[in-house]
Amino acid sequence: MGQHKCDGGSPKAKPAMKKMKSGGGWPAIRYTFRKARDVGGVWKLYKALRTKNACKTCALGMGGQRGGMVNEIGGFPEVCKKSLQAMAADMQGAIKQEFWSTYSIAQLKAFSPYDLEHCGRLTQPVLYERGAEYYRPIDWDEAIARITKRLKSLPPDETFWYFSGRSSNEAGFLLQLFARLYGTNNVNNCSYYCHQASGVGLTSSIGSGTATVVLEDVEHADLVFVIGGNPPSNHPRLMTTLTHIRQRGGEVIVINPVIETGLVNFRVPSNVRSLLFGTKIATLYVQPDIGGDLALLTGIAKRIDEMGAQDSGFLQEYCDDSEAWLAHIRSVSWSEIYAKSGVSQSDIDAIAERYAAAKNVVFSWTMGITHHVHGVQNVQAIANLAFMRGMVGRPNAGLLPIRGHSNVQGIGSVGVTPKLKDTIFERLESEYGLTLPTTEGLDTLGCMEAAFEKKLKAGFCLGGNLFGSNPDSVYAAESLSRLESMVYLSTTLNTGHAHGLADEAIILPVLARDEEPQPTTQESMFNYVRLSDGGPRRHDGPRSEVEVIAQIAEGVLADTTAIDWRSMQNTGRIRDAIAKVIPGYDEIAKIDKTKTEFQLGGRTLHKPTFPTPSGRGVLHRHDLPSLRGGGDQLRLMTVRSEGQFNTVVYENEDIYRGQDRRDVILLHPDDIARLGLSEDQKVTVCSETGEMPGIRVRAFEEIKPGNTLMYYPESNVLVPRHVDGQSKTPAFKGVLVTISTK
Ligand code: SF4
């Protein structure tokens, strides 16, 4: 792929786009051929996508030993725009040497996320030193030596270690082990900014923090709730399953403040009937106000109770405190529920009637549920609803947090959290005769705040875009710039490489998953562990993540720990360690020999016994939060467009919302009229935390009046550092904004 115009001049905004009537379809097929042309042809792209590697994008899970484009029930061809965008990005040409003397830091700061992603592949280590205008290429030896010297000079608890969910289990396990033996628990991952509330909420309800179902269960459901998410954009192959359910006469209830194109109608390219005639996805679409989910979920439970449609036997036999919980929801008034959800009685009734009539129900959700100060409570309320009709703890029914990055669940499983699970802690100490630190580790935002207070001196980022994913971007840049040193292991450039640079910033180029010289493993959102074979490198220069981590660890810790770090460059050795210390991962030790991928034990719940202290489900009572805003204050939700995956922007257009650019605020026409604004008018959007000038007003009937949406990560500048007290996940949804025309 020749580099896109890597001059910060993002492609000129195309004329206002016609919004699509359905998701997927011929436009997705045309896009595939366009991308294939970019990377050297259809056959080249097809071969790359068919290798035995797990898909690099979302955690729905494709590929591995079944071959690329094969899902967990053997479905083929299962591929989507997100998958081929990530592949095409890795198939880019190398960033040329002269790039670093051509584009200054100041210029890189002006590049958009799209521009930076399309500059090409990183192939040589580069160094930024405070006062310099440019990054300068350095060789690996100097890079490793600088990092080793820096780490040896610092008190370990003045460092932090951030992991992206794209890294392998092996790299994740090895780096967290290195950080702890170095002497700190400031170890965290990107899920703190997305699904941590799911992990905390589910654990408090069912005793386990991940999905209770496998893909096969979802395929056999007759009703699926899709709450606070837009899978057609972010997990497109889930639409295959929803289409199967619809084609079998099943139901899909969507709860979302925005009417999302692909959730109304989707054309699955690999399903002829769906491709030609489209598939009506949502049989019921209900729009709460942003922040109204908890009240709505409580209202549905209250209506089910009024209908007597609950499974009282299940509640009494398999759940704690069901009577107290029922008494609580009976005590909540309907007027409170309407006022705090923004949803009418008739819509709540419609949901409850369909739920009461269904036999096998799966509840799925994403960040529309977790990105709130009451995110954990939202997840608990979903679990409450599932308990109410015995829709958890059996086949074809259950709970499904739709996770983000392809291995975000895996790195959590292998110990990338501030506090190790007791079992892992004990096994690591006993198995290897180690003494692990017991200091309290910081979560992701905790590290940002400690850096701001100069309590931290250095950071180490395994992939990801820490700066970009943070709320309050101005604060985040200031925090990171107060560090003495930051190390990034990356494949392409992102905004974090230009903003908030520490006194010394080093970018180390790493290999992509399908370029690894050794096999690696990943865990899907369905608790399925895949083996990725790796493959031939595309460029000289980048190194494998485990090789880099082991080399630095050897330099820093060789004479202080019992670990043979050099041997840990072998991913097989790392898997031996994972098998010994990570619960449920026993089979990983032989996976590269047997090529047999496996379902993690104890995660999929097909029996109503829950790994909670009592062995029973836990029902939670909640006080309902009031809806915020009103008047000229709007409730903002930051969202991903169809053209991006998390902070990575592959296309500036959002074809499903009809947007040709990203510097826009989408408002209901009534709000535009009420606020005296006009289409495409440039305004300044303000919040208690920041402001964004030059934003274009865009009419968008699909969102409820009083609510608005803008694109993440650019609009993070408006997002305060308010977090859910239990999960420490920032509230990227429900931010109060006003619009100034000055
Ligand atoms: S849905 Fe997710 S796992 Fe499947 S191909 Fe797309 S990005 Fe990959």
Side-chain angles (χ1 to χ4, degrees):
M1 176 192 272
Q3 267 91 319
H4 281 258
K5 267 195 297 83
C6 179
D7 58 0
S10 295
K12 291 288 160 277
K14 300 196 181 75
M17 292 173 71
K18 201 160 82 35
K19 192 169 132 350
M20 292 173 66
K21 293 209 170 9
S22 70
W26 298 107
I29 295 172
R30 280 196 295 277
Y31 185 86
T32 304
F33 285 102
R34 196 179 112 201
K35 273 294 154 202
R37 194 184 57 240
D38 287 353
V39 300
V42 173
W43 181 240
K44 191 168 175 195
L45 180 61
Y46 177 78
K47 277 199 307 171
L49 290 166
R50 279 296 274 149
T51 61
K52 292 187 172 181
N53 286 290
C55 172
K56 301 171 192 174
T57 306
C58 90
L60 190 76
M62 297 301 158
Q65 293 311 299
R66 296 164 184 250
M69 306 201 293
V70 180
N71 70 15
E72 285 172 20
I73 54 175
F76 174 82
E78 292 288 338
V79 65
C80 76
K81 283 178 72 174
K82 288 285 166 321
S83 173
L84 49 97
Q85 284 166 336
M87 184 61 80
D90 287 340
M91 296 170 83
Q92 291 186 87
I95 294 178
K96 298 203 169 30
Q97 176 96 8
E98 60 274 19
F99 171 95
W100 303 108
S101 54
T102 307
Y103 296 107
S104 67
I105 303 290
Q107 287 173 296
L108 293 177
K109 267 191 178 159
F111 281 23
S112 69
Y114 173 95
D115 304 328
L116 290 158
E117 174 63 21
H118 290 86
C119 286
R121 288 287 302 275
L122 293 158
T123 58
Q124 61 192 134
V126 290
L127 165 69
Y128 162 78
E129 289 175 295
R130 182 73 67 210
E133 280 183 58
Y134 295 82
Y135 275 102
R136 69 180 173 85
I138 57 176
D139 62 29
W140 275 100
D141 293 344
E142 179 182 351
I144 302 286
R146 277 176 174 270
I147 297 164
T148 305
K149 181 163 169 265
R150 173 78 62 179
L151 289 174
K152 286 183 117 173
S153 72
L154 286 171
D157 254 342
E158 293 186 10
T159 68
F160 72 91
W161 308 72
Y162 173 80
F163 300 58
S164 150
R166 199 170 169 180
S167 302
S168 65
N169 288 333
E170 292 77 7
F173 179 83
L174 186 65
L175 186 60
Q176 67 81 28
L177 183 63
F178 170 25
R180 296 187 206 279
L181 293 177
Y182 170 62
T184 183
N185 285 320
N186 295 338
V187 170
N188 53 66
N189 69 71
C190 59
S191 77
Y192 274 85
Y193 284 1
C194 70
H195 264 288
Q196 186 64 11
S198 297
V200 174
L202 285 175
T203 302
S204 70
S205 295
I206 60 169
S208 170
T210 64
T212 68
V213 292
V214 291
L215 183 58
E216 190 78 41
D217 290 319
V218 188
E219 285 280 345
H220 290 90
D222 58 359
L223 168 60
V224 174
F225 281 86
V226 179
I227 311 173
N230 188 17
S233 268
N234 304 313
H235 303 81
R237 299 318 311 163
L238 187 63
M239 305 315 293
T240 306
T241 299
L242 297 184
T243 296
H244 291 161
I245 292 167
R246 296 289 296 114
Q247 289 179 338
R248 273 204 335 268
E251 298 236 19
V252 174
I253 295 178
V254 176
I255 295 174
N256 192 321
V258 176
I259 303 282
E260 300 285 10
T261 300
L263 287 171
V264 173
N265 194 295
F266 198 90
R267 294 170 184 265
V268 176
S270 56
N271 179 310
V272 178
R273 183 173 143 201
S274 178
L275 177 62
L276 298 179
F277 308 107
T279 307
K280 185 173 181 305
I281 299 295
T283 45
L284 182 63
Y285 209 120
V286 173
Q287 295 179 272
D289 284 304
I290 297 172
D293 303 280
L294 192 53
L296 172 56
L297 294 162
T298 303
I300 301 165
K302 184 178 176 68
R303 190 73 192 111
I304 290 287
D305 176 51
E306 287 177 350
M307 295 161 65
Q310 65 263 46
D311 182 337
S312 303
F314 185 96
L315 285 171
Q316 276 141 28
E317 189 170 349
Y318 300 114
C319 296
D320 291 335
D321 303 336
S322 58
E323 286 314 314
W325 178 70
L326 286 169
H328 167 73
I329 57 169
R330 289 169 188 155
S331 71
V332 180
S333 72
W334 278 116
S335 56
E336 182 182 2
I337 287 169
Y338 309 147
K340 293 182 175 178
S341 67
V343 176
S344 67
Q345 182 68 58
S346 58
D347 276 346
I348 295 175
D349 290 356
I351 296 173
E353 279 147 25
R354 282 171 173 77
Y355 182 34
K359 295 188 179 40
N360 297 312
V361 180
V362 169
F363 292 86
S364 71
W365 66 89
T366 71
M367 291 176 273
I369 281 293
T370 60
H371 274 176
H372 294 275
V373 289
H374 50 269
V376 167
Q377 295 178 353
N378 281 344
V379 173
Q380 291 167 338
I382 293 173
N384 288 347
L385 214 42
F387 286 136
M388 206 174 185
R389 295 207 59 242
M391 291 300 171
V392 58
R394 64 177 181 78
N396 310 333
L399 300 163
L400 174 61
I402 304 176
R403 312 289 313 248
H405 266 305
S406 57
N407 196 38
V408 68
Q409 209 166 282
I411 59 164
S413 296
V414 298
V416 181
T417 50
K419 185 179 181 319
L420 278 175
K421 290 196 172 86
D422 297 345
T423 325
I424 301 175
F425 186 95
E426 285 140 22
R427 288 181 182 180
L428 265 175
E429 291 215 326
S430 57
E431 187 65 40
Y432 294 96
L434 305 172
T435 305
L436 296 172
T438 53
T439 46
E440 187 177 342
L442 295 170
D443 58 75
T444 311
L445 191 61
C447 289
M448 299 303 292
E449 291 172 345
F452 190 88
E453 290 146 24
K454 296 200 171 186
K455 292 182 184 146
L456 294 177
K457 299 277 187 310
F460 194 106
C461 291
L462 179 60
N465 178 357
L466 177 59
F467 162 74
S469 59
N470 258 284
D472 193 349
S473 313
V474 172
Y475 178 91
E478 180 55 33
S479 300
L480 295 170
S481 69
R482 293 182 178 196
L483 295 169
E484 293 175 10
S485 165
M486 179 65 104
V487 176
Y488 306 95
L489 276 64
S490 307
T491 54
T492 53
L493 284 174
N494 61 50
T495 55
H497 298 129
H499 297 267
L501 294 182
D503 297 345
E504 176 192 64
I506 298 175
I507 308 175
L508 300 176
V510 290
L511 296 167
R513 181 176 296 165
D514 60 347
E515 298 167 354
E516 287 277 358
Q518 304 173 71
T520 61
T521 56
Q522 294 76 24
E523 175 190 322
S524 77
M525 70 171 86
F526 294 109
N527 305 302
Y528 184 75
V529 177
R530 281 183 169 74
L531 178 72
S532 293
D533 284 356
R537 62 177 47 251
R538 291 185 177 91
H539 300 284
D540 292 334
R543 293 183 180 178
S544 118
E545 291 173 334
V546 293
E547 181 194 342
V548 174
I549 295 163
Q551 208 180 344
I552 296 170
E554 186 182 3
V556 175
L557 297 178
D559 40 0
T560 59
T561 57
I563 300 284
D564 170 1
W565 293 104
R566 186 158 303 203
S567 75
M568 280 299 201
Q569 293 195 18
N570 176 317
T571 58
R573 289 296 309 275
I574 302 173
R575 283 188 290 278
D576 293 343
I578 292 175
K580 289 189 183 119
V581 302
I582 306 296
Y585 263 83
D586 319 43
E587 293 173 55
I588 203 168
K590 51 185 186 332
I591 194 171
D592 54 344
K593 302 166 199 68
T594 63
K595 305 291 183 189
T596 309
E597 299 171 326
F598 59 95
Q599 194 68 32
L600 282 165
R603 304 268 191 96
T604 307
L605 302 181
H606 282 169
K607 291 197 174 57
T609 47
F610 302 100
T612 56
S614 66
R616 296 153 61 86
V618 181
L619 291 149
H620 293 267
R621 286 164 268 168
H622 303 117
D623 297 331
L624 304 182
S626 299
L627 289 177
R628 307 172 69 220
D632 64 0
Q633 280 194 317
L634 299 155
R635 286 176 290 273
L636 168 72
M637 61 187 211
T638 65
V639 297
R640 278 89 167 140
S641 78
E642 191 275 343
Q644 75 186 92
F645 190 76
N646 281 337
T647 58
V648 181
V649 176
Y650 296 112
E651 304 294 347
N652 282 321
E653 302 82 35
D654 185 354
I655 58 175
Y656 288 170
R657 298 188 182 108
Q659 301 304 314
D660 57 347
R661 53 193 305 137
R662 299 175 57 81
D663 52 351
V664 293
I665 182 166
L666 277 54
L667 295 166
H668 190 278
D670 294 0
D671 285 331
I672 292 178
R674 181 173 64 80
L675 298 168
L677 303 169
S678 58
E679 176 77 4
D680 243 10
Q681 178 182 356
K682 280 194 176 179
V683 296
T684 298
V685 182
C686 312
S687 76
E688 66 178 272
T689 298
E691 57 180 48
M692 293 181 79
I695 298 298
R696 292 166 183 266
V697 170
R698 289 290 171 85
F700 192 63
E701 285 161 350
E702 290 77 9
I703 194 162
K704 284 184 72 178
N707 302 278
T708 182
L709 70 79
M710 294 177 76
Y711 291 116
Y712 162 103
E714 294 91 333
S715 58
N716 284 354
V717 74
L718 298 169
V719 179
R721 288 176 282 116
H722 303 325
V723 295
D724 177 304
Q726 299 181 71
S727 68
K728 308 296 184 219
T729 299
F732 290 96
K733 314 283 192 268
V735 177
L736 291 183
V737 297
T738 54
I739 294 176
S740 158
T741 55
K742 297 201 187 61

